[in-house]
Amino acid sequence: MFDNKYNTSDLKQILNRLRAMMDSTDNSVQTRRFDAFGIEALQVSYDQLTKIWTVQEHREIRQFQFDDIDLVAIEIYDVLHDFKLIY
């Protein structure tokens, strides 16, 4: 069984990183890597002009686009959770 406090904390950290991407002014396209155990699991890009998020999963070699930060956070959380279960 999962500890809700732990899961909420992980999701909150993900959302904080995504919000920082939205607020950054150094480049119109922001890119961040998300990893587990030091292994990159996915890469997320945010285009500030179109407000589109692109999530590239490395394990399954898939790419998704979203226009909602909450959906991006959930996708990242799910990928990292699954990645941690494998290793």
Side-chain angles (χ1 to χ4, degrees), residues 4-66:
N4 286 336
K5 182 178 179 185
Y6 177 75
N7 290 335
T8 301
S9 178
D10 285 349
L11 193 54
K12 188 173 187 175
Q13 289 176 0
I14 291 168
L15 277 168
N16 287 342
R17 289 188 68 193
L18 295 176
R19 286 187 187 113
M21 291 172 72
M22 291 175 66
D23 295 339
S24 182
T25 59
D26 64 337
N27 203 344
S28 64
V29 176
Q30 295 294 315
T31 302
R32 301 290 186 280
R33 290 168 170 72
F34 290 81
D35 62 53
F37 309 118
I39 301 169
E40 186 176 318
L42 53 97
Q43 181 175 304
V44 177
S45 298
Y46 177 66
D47 186 328
Q48 293 178 338
L49 300 175
T50 62
K51 301 194 183 320
I52 296 293
W53 298 90
T54 303
V55 177
Q56 295 177 330
E57 295 181 31
H58 299 319
R59 186 174 62 88
E60 304 246 347
I61 310 173
R62 299 186 296 182
Q63 180 173 309
F64 300 101
Q65 290 189 323
F66 300 94

